[in-house]
């Protein structure tokens, strides 16, 4: 299977972005890994989902330590929803430090590496909410808010003089849906949802103002962006009014209207982030990727 391995690596290298603000670090020749404990990686535990290669879904999961080792899996889907490949990962003690060991598998569980071979990434540096292995990084998307997101990056081998990285930005799997922690009476639920909508709208406006500022307020682009804002607000009003009309005979009509408004607002904020606040290379976005409002 080694020919498959090298073919896929070559394909990945072709789509890897040049590292603007580099996520990965390389140890110098003969570097020594710093002291580190597996307990320093508790922020990594959980299930994470996001966009992977060519925009197809990708998932990463890490279990709590067992016997001093953390076990993780990564699954990359194809555009049609099939498994492209998966990875089985161990973060384990090596002396008084840590190393990440990894093996790749095809969809039929045949391996990329030979039976006893694996990729080993020695630890280069460890920081609060970040582990920098040699050419591979795992870190919190927001160090001040562990659990809100995960960034995973790997440096690809390439003939290009510029470093090439694959960067994955994940959200917690349990927060990727559209459920809200609102319960109680109809009145209490409606008040709760209204408060969530207010927070969602405030964030949408914050992201939009940042985007407008980066586009130059008086430019043609800024004018088109303002038109798109007006178009969204009109669409949201009519779309969610239609939902209200459908449920107008029931006591949940207001809740359905509010849920519709929250969902569309969050989608709009994410579109603003994707279209105007991110870069084509691996540079940091102007603002963090927005997660569903809670």
């Amino acid at each position: 299977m080694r020919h498959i391995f090298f073919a896929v690596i070559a394909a990945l290298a072709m789509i890897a972005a040049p590292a603007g603000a580099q996520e990965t670090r390389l140890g110098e020749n003969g570097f020594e890994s710093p002291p580190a404990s597996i307990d320093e990686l508790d922020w990594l535990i959980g299930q994470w989902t996001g966009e992977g290669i060519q925009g197809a879904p990708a998932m990463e999961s890490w279990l709590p330590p067992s016997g001093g080792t953390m076990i993780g899996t990564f699954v990359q889907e194809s555009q049609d929803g099939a498994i492209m490949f998966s990875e089985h990962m161990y973060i384990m003690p090596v002396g008084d430090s840590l190393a990440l060991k990894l093996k790749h598998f095809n969809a039929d569980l045949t391996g990329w590496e030979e039976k006893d071979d694996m990729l080993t990434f020695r630890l280069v540096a460890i920081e609060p909410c970040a582990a920098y292995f040699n050419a591979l990084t795992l870190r919190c998307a927001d160090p001040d808010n562990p659990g809100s997101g995960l960034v995973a990056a790997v440096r690809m081998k390439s003939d290009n003089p510029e470093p090439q990285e694959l960067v994955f930005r994940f959200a917690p799997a349990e927060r990727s849906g559209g459920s809200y922690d609102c319960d109680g009476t109809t009145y209490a639920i409606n008040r709760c949802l209204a408060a969530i909508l207010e927070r969602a709208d405030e964030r949408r406006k914050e992201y939009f103002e940042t985007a407008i500022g980066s586009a130059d307020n008086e430019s043609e682009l800024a004018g088109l962006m303002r038109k798109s804002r007006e178009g969204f607000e009109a669409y949201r009003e009519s779309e969610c009014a239609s939902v209200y009309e459908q449920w107008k005979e029931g006591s949940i009509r207001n809740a359905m209207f509010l849920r519709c408004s929250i969902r569309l607002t969050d989608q709009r904020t994410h579109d603003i982030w994707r279209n105007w606040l991110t870069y084509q290379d691996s540079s940091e976005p102007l603002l963090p990727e927005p997660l569903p409002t809670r």
Side-chain angles (χ1 to χ4, degrees):
M1 290 294 173
R2 293 186 69 83
H3 64 290
I4 298 176
F5 169 76
F6 288 116
V8 175
I9 287 296
L12 296 183
M14 291 177 64
I15 62 173
Q22 294 178 18
E23 288 286 354
T24 57
R25 302 182 186 180
L26 295 179
E28 297 180 357
N29 289 336
F31 78 93
E32 293 187 7
S33 295
S37 165
I38 200 73
D39 294 332
E40 296 177 75
L41 303 183
D42 58 349
W43 48 267
L44 187 56
I45 298 168
Q47 293 183 303
W48 309 89
T49 61
E51 287 188 359
I53 296 168
Q54 297 179 335
M59 294 153 280
E60 186 155 329
S61 301
W62 287 94
L63 295 172
S66 178
T69 295
M70 286 183 69
I71 298 176
T73 57
F74 171 83
V75 178
Q76 175 63 62
E77 294 186 4
S78 61
Q79 296 282 3
D80 59 3
I83 294 177
M84 182 186 297
F85 67 90
S86 63
E87 298 172 355
H88 192 66
M89 300 173 285
Y90 277 31
I91 300 178
M92 57 197 309
V94 176
D96 63 351
S97 189
L98 299 169
L100 188 152
K101 299 190 176 185
L102 178 155
K103 290 179 74 75
H104 294 86
F105 296 91
N106 295 309
D108 61 0
L109 211 56
T110 52
W112 290 14
E113 294 81 16
E114 297 294 340
K115 180 179 178 181
D116 294 328
D117 289 346
M118 65 196 72
L119 301 181
T120 299
F121 302 86
R122 294 171 53 209
L123 188 67
V124 173
I126 190 162
E127 300 174 0
C129 241
Y132 296 94
F133 298 93
N134 194 36
L136 188 151
T137 294
L138 296 169
R139 69 170 180 84
C140 297
D142 180 359
D144 295 326
N145 189 16
S148 64
L150 174 69
V151 175
V154 61
R155 186 173 298 204
M156 308 298 298
K157 290 183 178 180
S158 171
D159 294 331
N160 194 310
E162 290 291 325
Q164 305 289 302
E165 293 182 337
L166 281 174
V167 180
F168 302 86
R169 302 184 187 278
F170 297 111
E174 65 272 17
R175 296 183 64 179
S176 61
S179 60
Y180 308 103
D181 294 329
C182 294
D183 51 26
T185 64
T186 299
Y187 176 74
I189 291 172
N190 290 342
R191 286 197 61 181
C192 174
L193 291 172
I196 294 173
L197 176 58
E198 183 177 0
R199 292 195 294 273
D201 231 14
E202 287 175 355
R203 185 175 59 172
R204 174 179 66 92
K205 293 173 183 176
E206 174 196 357
Y207 275 58
F208 183 81
E209 289 305 319
T210 301
I212 282 285
S214 67
D216 181 359
N217 272 307
E218 303 305 320
S219 68
E220 181 179 356
L221 172 59
L224 291 171
M225 290 167 66
R226 290 190 179 94
K227 285 186 178 180
S228 74
R229 176 185 60 187
E230 295 167 2
F232 163 75
E233 291 173 350
Y235 166 73
R236 181 181 63 178
E237 182 177 352
S238 60
E239 177 72 8
C240 296
S242 300
V243 172
Y244 180 93
E245 182 68 18
Q246 181 180 7
W247 295 96
K248 67 179 181 180
E249 301 301 329
S251 61
I252 64 171
R253 57 187 179 275
N254 289 318
M256 296 300 291
F257 173 86
L258 291 166
R259 289 176 185 273
C260 170
S261 300
I262 295 166
R263 176 175 54 82
L264 294 182
T265 301
D266 280 349
Q267 288 178 359
R268 171 62 177 169
T269 303
H270 199 276
D271 286 343
I272 293 170
W273 176 82
R274 181 194 297 276
N275 292 337
W276 299 314
L277 300 179
T278 60
Y279 299 94
Q280 291 302 306
D281 60 18
S282 57
S283 299
E284 281 289 318
L286 294 180
L287 289 174
E289 182 174 7
L291 298 174
T293 308
R294 293 292 182 264

